[in-house]
Amino acid sequence: MSAAAKKKNPGFFRAVGKDIAEIGTTFAHGDWRTRLSYIILGFGQLLRGQIAKGIAYLATEVLFIWYMLQVGNRYLAKFSTLGTVETTKVHRKTVYGDNSFLILLYSLLTICIIVFFIFLWRLNVRENLKEELILKSGKQLPSNKKVLASLLDGNFDKTLLTLPMIGIFLFTVLPIIFMVCIAFTNYDKTHQSPTHLFTWVGFDNFRELFATGGSGLGSTFGTVLFWTILWALAATFIDYFLGLGVAMLINKKGVRFKKLWRTILVITIAVPQIVSLLYISKLFASDGIINQTLLKWGWISKAISFWTDPVLAKVMIILINIWVGIPYMMLIATGLLMNIPPDLYESASLDGANHRQMFRYITLPYIMFVTGPFLLTQFTGNLNNFNVIFLLTQGGPLSTKLKGNAGYTDLLITWLYKMTVNDTNYRMAAVIGIMVFIVTAVISLVVYNMLPSVKDEEAFQ
Amino acid sequence: MAQNTEKKYASMKGKRRASLTVTYIVLVLISIIWLLPFIGLILQSFRSFDPAVEPGQNGGMVSYIVPKTFSFDNYKFILSDQTNFPRWYLNTVIIAIFVSIGQTLNILGVSYALSKMRFKGRTLLMRFWLILGMFPGFLTMICLYFLLKQFGLTQAGAVPGLILVSIASSGMGYYVCKGYFDTIPKALDEAMMIDGASRARIFFTMTIPMSKPIIIYTALVAFMAPWCDYVFASYVAFGHDKSYNVAVGLQRWLVNADYQGYFTRFCAGGVLVAIPVTLLFMFLQKYYVEGVTGGAVKG
């Protein structure tokens, strides 16, 4: 890892160095059109007849300057403090001061726009250089029509990706950067914008998360994290093997109505979980039908607290998740079982292998081999499996031993949700979000490099 | 010797029959466990909340599954103008249709670009999106809420707001579709290019028609998700009853509101939600299985 990083770094710096050198030499050797393009983007292109490109560059620059003057500089100036003017009440009128939320959001947007603009400027310089070289070698530049047509041909990828990338930037990248920044501020109940300011606090929130004494969330975080990982392991592997088992049962030679059995299981996937899981959560409620029936039959003397006993609630969640998870795995395993080369079994049975041995030495290794990446995505998906937990227990049962309103079945993700919605404790929610990311990323990286299908791609080919 | 084998064969046959019987018993048990909640849900939805019809209770939970008198009271109630349920239903259908179309187009475009075209920064982009995907989705909720609010797409405008958010970032979910495109031989593209077809032409006249299974899979998955979307929908539509979707409405009936009184009505609503989605799913099951298995193997 470190060796690879070391190897990569000089390459990166060399590339940047080369880039800067190219910008310099282009300016030194370029004609006056190119040189002017360093300040007025698209100028060289326009003068060389590349109207479409030139206008696009020029328009972007005008927009950029307009944005920076109108919006960008105002917010960026307050970025370091996130606002200093408090909202005050003069007599009965509220005089609004700085809005920290807006300042942070627009500052980040502005920074991103500046980075994008620098990138565009670099592109503009290179394009000028290219055009000059083409003209110098006596060739002609492509016509404007050709340039535009290339957006549907050679540059079709740019056409296809532009809108999705803008969408991802605005609705995923920018919000994530924003929330990562929130983790370093004191934005919470007592610092709500626009009436109150919030500001940078460094690593205070992280210290609070890990601190075990006083108001620290350390022990609660440990409990929740432990259960999150335990849950993800149980949910992934129990479902995986049981689903495989059910698929093999149905696939067994001589079993009839294969389609019927499968269809019955698949209904679970088809019915929206909001309906099925909410109904099931009420089945097991203390006044639910199961408790009432058992009471009526006299099997129990008082209602079993399925959802209020911490251990029982966890067991129930894992059991019900089996109900949710088996059908998916059954579908996948069915497809895979059919793909196992039959001659593997034939030669095994010629060698006198019995069913158990065939399962142990052929079926299982094959399935594990091809579903390695799938298992990994299932695992990371289960780390963030919001629906099952939230619809069944909403993270409960709560306890005074746990801080931050966490319950015993809360995953990091449901805890994050509660902090955002119920407690408006945005700063801690952001910190937990970063923790979820770290856990997911570390596990993915480590496991991915251990997967047999990554290590040894050819094993079953 | 021959006798011996015959005996062995007969015992094997017996063994096989025994094991088949066990298998059937297990399968029947599994079927009962898997179907019971749905049977319960449907039966309960026909139990009236009116004590005059169903004696001794008022739409809460009881200790029996089969109602004493079958009635359509719950359905009549939730479809009347006493609740906003029809409105929630309409909202969800609208969201599901638009999200389904938008996400499919988005994912198809991204997948084609990533699968068939080679451009600078392609692997970097894919790696970047992979890392982005490791951040939990709810983390950004307040920021998205604020962004939507800037455009007036919260509360009263929650429906278009939800559609926008669901479509905007969907390009990152390209894996299964790209995996499918990867299996279409490059030679086909090249042959058409030699004939002078542009990339766009190849995409629209060859790749898309060849990708019917994956298009149906993508659209189906996208169509089903909004029916379950509770978290973000409740956040964006907060306090504005008319902008709820069925998930938010049902959840409130059962958890936040006086669920003892609304239990049977929740069941009726649940049945109405489940029927079209389940039917559609069953009808297109083949494509779903193809997509899921393909996706699992390629990772």
Side-chain angles (χ1 to χ4, degrees):
Chain A
M1 190 68 203
S2 66
K6 259 181 213 157
K7 233 170 153 187
K8 216 173 162 185
N9 276 337
F12 174 74
F13 287 122
R14 202 176 298 146
V16 171
K18 241 171 110 185
D19 227 46
I20 293 171
E22 191 189 293
I23 295 170
T25 49
T26 309
F27 191 79
H29 300 298
D31 59 9
W32 63 278
R33 297 184 194 88
T34 303
R35 284 183 195 172
L36 214 54
S37 286
Y38 273 60
I39 308 167
I40 306 171
L41 270 72
F43 191 74
Q45 287 92 324
L46 276 173
L47 286 187
R48 294 190 197 96
Q50 296 284 296
I51 310 285
K53 268 187 197 171
I55 287 178
Y57 276 113
L58 201 58
T60 322
E61 185 176 12
V62 170
L63 267 176
F64 174 74
I65 292 171
W66 177 82
Y67 172 84
M68 285 306 290
L69 290 177
Q70 287 293 315
V71 191
N73 69 337
R74 256 195 309 144
Y75 287 109
L76 211 52
K78 293 174 185 163
F79 184 54
S80 58
T81 57
L82 296 180
T84 46
V85 187
E86 282 268 10
T87 301
T88 47
K89 261 197 169 154
V90 180
H91 304 303
R92 283 191 175 175
K93 237 168 90 187
T94 314
V95 179
Y96 281 102
D98 288 330
N99 184 338
S100 304
F101 194 104
L102 277 179
I103 293 172
L104 181 56
L105 186 64
Y106 277 103
S107 298
L108 292 173
L109 181 68
T110 309
I111 292 171
C112 290
I113 288 178
I114 292 174
V115 170
F116 175 74
F117 185 73
I118 291 174
F119 175 75
L120 206 75
W121 177 81
R122 175 76 194 88
L123 213 66
N124 163 65
V125 169
R126 174 157 290 171
E127 209 132 86
N128 269 297
L129 173 70
K130 262 193 206 158
E131 282 175 7
E132 258 192 67
L133 287 177
I134 291 175
L135 287 176
K136 249 182 215 161
S137 66
K139 281 183 223 146
Q140 281 215 317
L141 293 174
S143 68
N144 286 307
K145 221 173 138 191
K146 235 181 186 166
V147 170
L148 287 177
S150 81
L151 285 175
L152 291 177
D153 195 14
N155 287 325
F156 191 43
D157 51 331
K158 295 184 181 69
T159 315
L160 286 176
L161 287 174
T162 303
L163 259 181
M165 275 167 76
I166 293 174
I168 289 170
F169 171 74
L170 276 180
F171 288 90
T172 303
V173 179
L174 187 64
I176 285 180
I177 300 176
F178 177 84
M179 286 313 289
V180 168
C181 287
I182 288 290
F184 299 94
T185 69
N186 57 1
Y187 184 27
D188 58 19
K189 220 185 235 165
T190 51
H191 298 90
Q192 293 258 39
S193 60
T195 42
H196 295 284
L197 298 171
F198 61 82
T199 189
W200 301 106
V201 295
F203 283 92
D204 282 3
N205 299 322
F206 290 87
R207 261 179 233 126
E208 190 182 327
L209 184 71
F210 292 119
T212 42
S215 64
L217 294 171
S219 63
T220 307
F221 175 67
T223 314
V224 175
L225 179 66
F226 179 72
W227 161 240
T228 305
I229 290 175
L230 185 74
W231 144 262
L233 283 174
T236 308
F237 288 99
I238 295 177
D239 290 11
Y240 181 80
F241 288 110
L242 287 181
L244 184 59
V246 172
M248 289 178 68
L249 267 188
I250 298 176
N251 258 22
K252 206 167 177 180
K253 244 189 224 159
V255 171
R256 294 177 63 186
F257 315 117
K258 286 186 173 25
K259 221 175 163 188
L260 174 75
W261 305 121
R262 274 181 211 137
T263 308
I264 287 172
L265 285 170
V266 164
I267 293 177
T268 316
I269 307 178
V271 176
Q273 281 184 355
I274 192 101
V275 176
S276 54
L277 288 183
L278 273 181
Y279 180 78
I280 289 175
S281 83
K282 287 298 169 218
L283 276 186
F284 291 100
S286 56
D287 51 355
I289 193 164
I290 290 185
N291 266 322
Q292 289 203 32
T293 310
L294 292 178
L295 281 171
K296 202 165 71 178
W297 289 349
W299 288 18
I300 51 173
S301 55
K302 65 177 179 51
I304 303 171
S305 44
F306 287 109
W307 301 131
T308 46
D309 181 81
V311 179
L312 197 54
K314 288 179 181 177
V315 174
M316 288 306 295
I317 284 178
I318 291 177
L319 284 179
I320 291 168
N321 190 60
I322 291 175
W323 185 85
V324 174
I326 279 188
Y328 283 101
M329 192 53 216
M330 186 270 306
L331 281 184
I332 289 161
T334 306
L336 295 178
L337 289 172
M338 287 170 182
N339 280 343
I340 301 181
D343 42 328
L344 282 180
Y345 289 113
E346 274 161 33
S347 55
S349 71
L350 279 181
D351 290 342
N354 61 27
H355 279 287
R356 192 163 301 155
Q357 284 168 327
M358 281 196 228
F359 175 76
R360 170 79 186 73
Y361 293 106
I362 299 174
T363 316
L364 200 57
Y366 178 85
I367 299 268
M368 291 289 268
F369 180 80
V370 284
T371 53
F374 165 76
L375 260 177
L376 180 58
T377 47
Q378 279 294 96
F379 183 78
T380 53
N382 275 325
L383 281 176
N384 295 315
N385 195 333
F386 183 87
N387 265 356
V388 171
I389 305 282
F390 188 77
L391 294 178
L392 289 178
T393 64
Q394 299 192 290
L398 299 175
S399 159
T400 47
K401 278 185 199 150
L402 298 176
K403 286 181 189 136
N405 271 338
Y408 277 110
T409 56
D410 257 327
L411 302 180
L412 286 173
I413 185 87
T414 55
W415 196 24
L416 186 163
Y417 171 81
K418 282 194 204 166
M419 281 197 166
T420 310
V421 176
N422 304 348
D423 305 346
T424 55
N425 191 353
Y426 303 120
R427 59 190 176 93
M428 288 318 283
V431 173
I432 294 172
I434 293 174
M435 290 301 139
V436 172
F437 168 75
I438 292 174
V439 170
T440 317
V442 167
I443 291 177
S444 305
L445 250 176
V446 172
V447 177
Y448 185 79
N449 286 317
M450 280 170 16
L451 287 178
S453 48
V454 174
K455 263 203 244 161
D456 181 15
E457 281 191 321
E458 307 294 323
F460 274 93
Q461 283 183 0
Chain B
M1 193 69 171
Q3 225 176 4
N4 223 351
T5 5
E6 226 163 69
K7 234 188 208 162
K8 209 174 157 192
Y9 187 67
S11 82
M12 259 175 81
K13 220 174 166 183
K15 240 186 180 172
R16 167 162 276 179
R17 188 167 299 152
S19 95
L20 264 186
T21 320
V22 174
T23 308
Y24 280 124
I25 291 172
V26 173
L27 284 176
V28 169
L29 275 178
I30 287 177
S31 303
I32 291 172
I33 295 173
W34 256 260
L35 287 180
L36 214 53
F38 300 121
I39 294 169
L41 183 78
I42 293 169
L43 286 174
Q44 297 289 304
S45 74
F46 289 110
R47 180 160 57 80
S48 173
F49 57 86
D50 185 355
V53 182
E54 184 84 4
Q57 53 81 43
N58 53 3
M61 292 192 289
V62 289
S63 62
Y64 49 91
I65 293 184
V66 186
K68 289 177 181 132
T69 23
F70 274 81
S71 88
F72 284 96
D73 281 357
N74 296 313
Y75 292 96
K76 276 183 209 148
F77 178 85
I78 63 173
L79 292 177
S80 71
D81 49 11
Q82 281 170 283
T83 69
N84 274 328
F85 186 80
R87 179 65 187 264
W88 301 341
Y89 208 91
L90 184 70
N91 284 346
T92 317
V93 171
I94 292 171
I95 295 174
I97 290 174
F98 277 99
V99 167
S100 180
I101 296 170
Q103 282 200 2
T104 310
L105 293 178
N106 200 341
I107 291 176
L108 279 177
V110 170
S111 302
Y112 184 83
L114 291 178
S115 167
K116 297 288 168 188
M117 306 197 61
R118 292 290 175 270
F119 50 91
K120 220 175 151 190
R122 176 176 154 276
T123 45
L124 196 72
L125 185 70
M126 281 160 60
R127 225 171 275 164
F128 179 59
W129 284 357
L130 185 76
I131 292 170
L132 277 186
M134 290 176 189
F135 280 96
F138 304 143
L139 176 65
T140 56
M141 223 161 43
I142 40 163
C143 192
L144 290 178
Y145 177 80
F146 184 82
L147 279 175
L148 289 181
K149 208 169 176 181
Q150 295 283 293
F151 301 108
L153 294 177
T154 55
Q155 270 82 38
V159 172
L162 283 171
I163 295 173
L164 179 66
V165 168
S166 307
I167 295 176
S169 294
S170 61
M172 282 163 65
Y174 63 84
Y175 299 99
V176 176
C177 189
K178 177 184 172 282
Y180 185 88
F181 284 171
D182 285 343
T183 62
I184 300 176
K186 262 199 170 144
L188 288 176
D189 290 54
E190 277 155 16
M192 276 188 82
M193 276 202 280
I194 289 169
D195 292 343
S198 68
R199 281 285 187 183
R201 215 186 138 84
I202 298 172
F203 177 58
F204 288 114
T205 60
M206 186 192 78
T207 314
I208 286 188
M210 274 179 80
S211 311
K212 192 178 140 207
I214 210 69
I215 293 172
I216 294 176
Y217 167 77
T218 313
L220 179 67
V221 172
F223 183 85
M224 286 179 58
W227 297 86
C228 259
D229 179 22
Y230 167 76
V231 176
F232 197 57
S234 66
Y235 201 64
V236 171
F238 184 76
H240 199 271
D241 207 64
K242 281 205 163 134
S243 297
Y244 289 168
N245 63 10
V246 283
V248 179
L250 289 179
Q251 213 269 354
R252 293 176 71 88
W253 274 356
L254 205 58
V255 179
N256 300 354
D258 166 30
Y259 76 81
Q260 266 300 356
Y262 264 88
F263 182 70
T264 55
R265 277 164 270 195
F266 161 82
C267 291
V271 170
L272 289 183
V273 169
I275 285 175
V277 181
T278 310
L279 284 181
L280 185 77
F281 185 87
M282 288 300 173
F283 187 64
L284 299 173
Q285 205 196 121
K286 193 181 98 191
Y287 301 103
Y288 181 81
V289 175
E290 246 173 75
V292 159
T293 349
V297 177
K298 278 164 215 127

